[in-house]
Amino acid sequence: MKWARHDFGFFMLTDGTTMNRLLRRTLQGSIILFNSIKPQQTQSKVKCQPAKLQQRVMSCDKCFVFTEGYIEIVTRLRKCHLIYGFEHGAPTEPAILAKLFAWDGIRTVLSIHLSAMKDPISFDNTEIAFAPKTAKELQGAQFLFSMMGKPLLVKLGTRLAPWSIKVGLPVKGLIRKTIFKQFVGGETLEEIIPVAKTLGEYNVQVILDYGVEGAEGETAYDHARDEFIRVIQFAGTQPNVPFMSVKVTGFARFSLLEKLDSLMHDAPEDSLIKKYNRAILLLTADEVNEWQRVQERFRKICEAATASNVGVLVDAEETWIQDPVDAVTMLMMDEYNKVKILLYNTIQLYRHDRLDFLKKSYEAALERDFILGAKLVRGAYMEKERKRAAEKNYLSPIQPTKESSDKDYNEAVRFCIDHLENIGLIVASHNENSNLLATQLLQERGYALDHPHVHFSQLYGMSDNITFNLAKAGCSVSKYLPFGPIKDVVPYLMRRAQENTSVGGQTGRELGLIKKELKRRKV
């Protein structure tokens, strides 16, 4: 038992303390918290009947906190100013409690989360971070990240690997044993099952990503739709695969998206959807029919996800096709996110306009009465974006500095957590400070770390120190797990190699953690 100071006075944190001892201390605290004590335990072990508890509580004009097991009792305690449900260390949402406990005498609902009193989460614990890895696997990862720390080698490799695959050189074996093994779950859905199972043993979930990119043509787009649906249906049968990632460019022509984006930029209207509606009117009849087929593919994906109870994360694209992707995703949210969060739009905070976009998206969700799904990332196309902006002589959409990108990202996290009643948040980041900020904000506001509207995610093969330590702390967290034939996932693998070269300190951090764990294991 220990005591802590709070604005309301002293309150007592307990863990397994008998009910009788708690009752004897009632008059010494303005708030009493009964943690993880069920009514049947009280009756059989402590011999304190609920009726006696009720009598004692009713005789004291104080504020009380009870476990969920005592809801039947506390619903009659109209004298209490404050009552808060607490079940097995995870607080119930204040909004739900306010609805359940609609008493005349209640003034407010105070959230107290025991995890806020615990030691802060640390991402330096390599024993937890690499628990699933053998020494041999760690040594392989050490070699790979060492190579990715050499920019010239990465530049050469990202050019040679796609070419070698295209002309049929025997390089698949080498790719499979190195970069493919590190960042991809397998070539087929069946191959990712043991990977997902291993992650699940450490309370880490999976976001499936069918990593095939670049096919063009109506037949290819229909095939991509069918593949997305197949993956969604598979995810629905797995115990720890709550999400599936999709790319609109997988089932829509890039040049059509580019035209829509250009028309939207030229439109005089002041909102995303109004710009989108005007742009649709300026398409040719054939393009309108083509775009209707895109929307129908998207809708069928959403219907399959609804039937399988699997969330859909819509990937971000290049800025010159992003506006129509945002628009169609928002329209689908308006249709499918009314009751629960099915769709999440990906918001790239390395763009200087995205924090404002997030806030406008939230306002639109309130106006249209749907729940906004927001997956926050920094971004993966920085070099390409800056290069195109320079070539075409327009203002780069990328933040001027890493610090400004970090600032907007953290502000976006703060905004989402401040509006969790209407936002579903996925903190998709390899930045340790941003992940820690999210956990601290949840604790400060009295939310559980595994709040149903908050999820954390990192790419498979990277930042295991974040993923597994978050899982150990009780957060809802996943690995973004791509799969597909080697020849089809090469573009994804090349981006991972380039990303680890361009992200300041990422490769060095990975290497330092791996070396630390190998040293701890005395390897």
Side-chain angles (χ1 to χ4, degrees):
M1 181 187 303
K2 61 181 180 180
W3 294 82
R5 183 74 184 174
H6 191 270
D7 291 342
F8 283 78
F10 284 97
F11 63 89
M12 186 161 50
L13 304 180
T14 69
D15 189 8
T17 308
T18 65
M19 185 66 71
N20 281 332
R21 288 185 64 189
L22 282 172
L23 291 175
R24 285 197 296 270
R25 303 299 291 271
T26 296
L27 296 177
Q28 296 190 32
S30 61
I31 300 175
I32 294 181
L33 186 149
F34 300 136
N35 180 26
S36 301
I37 303 175
K38 297 179 180 179
Q40 61 268 28
Q41 292 175 327
T42 302
Q43 295 179 37
S44 61
K45 296 182 180 180
V46 187
K47 299 179 180 179
C48 176
Q49 299 296 327
K52 292 184 179 180
L53 172 63
Q54 180 185 357
Q55 182 180 7
R56 183 61 184 262
V57 169
M58 291 296 287
S59 67
C60 179
D61 189 18
K62 296 280 185 178
C63 296
F64 295 88
V65 181
F66 293 89
T67 60
E68 187 180 22
Y70 289 97
I71 287 180
E72 184 179 351
I73 298 172
V74 299
T75 53
R76 296 193 290 267
L77 305 183
R78 297 178 181 273
K79 288 180 62 178
C80 293
H81 297 307
L82 177 145
I83 302 177
Y84 182 76
F86 206 98
E87 179 184 13
H88 305 300
T92 313
E93 289 189 62
I96 297 175
L97 283 165
K99 184 177 292 186
L100 287 175
F101 303 151
W103 306 300
D104 296 333
I106 197 166
R107 293 193 306 199
T108 184
V109 175
L110 175 66
S111 302
I112 303 174
H113 195 341
L114 282 178
S115 64
M117 304 296 172
K118 296 179 181 178
D119 293 333
I121 297 171
S122 171
F123 295 139
D124 294 322
N125 190 321
T126 58
E127 183 177 4
I128 293 174
F130 300 116
K133 299 286 187 182
T134 65
K136 184 177 180 180
E137 288 172 331
L138 284 175
Q139 289 171 329
Q142 181 182 22
F143 171 77
L144 183 63
F145 280 110
S146 296
M147 295 300 100
M148 287 192 293
K150 305 179 187 300
L152 289 178
L153 186 62
V154 169
K155 186 175 182 179
L156 179 63
T158 53
R159 291 180 178 178
L160 285 179
W163 176 82
S164 300
I165 293 287
K166 185 176 181 179
V167 300
L169 293 180
V171 296
K172 288 185 179 180
L174 176 63
I175 293 174
R176 179 190 294 276
K177 293 178 181 178
T178 54
I179 192 169
F180 183 91
K181 181 180 179 181
Q182 181 69 26
F183 296 116
V184 180
E187 292 197 69
T188 66
L189 284 172
E190 289 70 26
E191 287 183 9
I192 67 113
I193 291 176
V195 178
K197 182 180 179 182
T198 298
L199 292 171
E201 291 171 356
Y202 296 89
N203 297 318
V204 176
Q205 298 176 306
V206 167
I207 297 174
L208 277 180
D209 173 40
Y210 180 53
V212 177
E213 301 179 8
E216 292 277 350
E218 291 295 301
T219 301
Y221 301 146
D222 287 342
H223 176 71
R225 173 205 60 203
D226 294 341
E227 284 298 295
F228 286 139
I229 291 173
R230 182 174 71 92
V231 175
I232 287 168
Q233 292 171 341
F234 170 83
T237 67
Q238 302 302 303
N240 68 320
V241 186
F243 301 109
M244 157 70 179
S245 175
V246 304
K247 287 181 74 69
V248 173
T249 48
F251 53 87
R253 180 163 56 91
F254 191 99
S255 56
L256 178 60
L257 291 167
E258 193 170 13
K259 180 175 181 178
L260 276 169
D261 190 278
S262 178
L263 293 171
M264 289 175 69
H265 273 272
D266 293 338
E269 285 78 8
D270 59 354
S271 78
L272 178 76
I273 299 303
K274 289 179 180 178
K275 287 175 177 290
Y276 166 82
N277 288 334
R278 175 175 287 272
I280 295 296
L281 295 175
L282 298 176
L283 294 177
T284 67
D286 287 343
E287 289 169 338
V288 169
N289 290 332
E290 182 181 356
W291 185 247
Q292 287 176 345
R293 292 194 294 272
V294 171
Q295 292 177 293
E296 186 57 30
R297 293 183 191 111
F298 201 166
R299 186 167 284 105
K300 286 187 176 180
I301 290 169
C302 292
E303 290 171 356
T306 299
S308 298
N309 194 29
V310 173
V312 175
L313 315 184
V314 181
D315 278 356
E317 306 282 357
E318 291 87 345
T319 54
W320 55 96
I321 63 169
Q322 185 62 50
D323 279 5
V325 172
D326 287 334
V328 72
T329 302
M330 289 290 285
L331 290 172
M332 292 296 171
M333 280 191 201
D334 189 18
E335 190 171 342
Y336 291 97
N337 280 20
K338 292 293 189 183
V339 178
K340 64 178 183 178
I341 312 167
L342 180 80
L343 283 162
Y344 292 78
N345 195 16
T346 300
I347 301 176
Q348 298 176 302
L349 275 306
Y350 76 165
R351 287 181 55 175
H352 54 68
D353 62 345
R354 292 293 91 178
L355 180 58
D356 182 62
F357 171 76
L358 170 65
K359 294 177 179 179
K360 288 180 178 177
S361 297
Y362 171 72
E363 292 170 1
L366 288 182
E367 181 181 342
R368 296 290 303 171
D369 192 28
F370 65 86
I371 307 171
L372 177 67
K375 185 183 89 171
L376 304 184
V377 302
R378 277 173 170 77
Y381 305 108
M382 185 167 64
E383 283 80 7
K384 182 192 290 188
E385 292 283 0
R386 284 178 171 162
K387 181 180 179 181
R388 186 177 190 272
E391 289 174 351
K392 294 184 174 292
N393 195 29
Y394 63 82
L395 177 67
S396 172
I398 306 302
Q399 300 270 12
T401 64
K402 181 182 182 301
E403 289 73 23
S404 56
S405 178
D406 291 341
K407 180 178 180 294
D408 273 13
Y409 190 96
N410 292 340
E411 282 300 313
V413 169
R414 191 181 303 275
F415 179 85
C416 289
I417 292 178
D418 283 342
H419 300 87
L420 274 187
E421 67 280 5
N422 292 104
I423 296 180
L425 166 66
I426 297 180
V427 182
S429 173
H430 294 181
N431 185 287
E432 295 178 12
N433 292 332
S434 294
N435 282 284
L436 280 176
L437 173 66
T439 63
Q440 290 164 359
L441 291 172
L442 288 170
Q443 292 172 338
E444 288 172 7
R445 286 149 178 76
Y447 291 121
L449 289 177
D450 62 347
H451 189 286
H453 279 199
V454 180
H455 190 78
F456 297 82
S457 186
Q458 291 77 43
L459 296 175
Y460 181 71
M462 294 174 61
S463 299
D464 287 349
N465 64 310
I466 297 177
T467 307
F468 288 90
N469 279 292
L470 284 175
K472 186 72 173 179
C475 297
S476 175
V477 62
S478 65
K479 280 296 191 185
Y480 186 92
L481 187 66
F483 74 96
I486 290 177
K487 64 181 180 63
D488 293 331
V489 300
V490 162
Y492 174 84
L493 293 173
M494 297 306 98
R495 285 205 304 274
R496 296 290 76 77
Q498 292 165 343
E499 183 179 77
N500 278 280
T501 301
S502 63
V503 176
Q506 180 67 39
T507 298
R509 177 63 166 156
E510 298 282 357
L511 277 172
L513 291 165
I514 292 170
K515 290 177 181 177
K516 178 182 176 181
E517 177 59 12
L518 288 172
K519 183 178 180 181
R520 189 194 69 81
R521 297 186 189 186
K522 299 179 181 178
V523 176

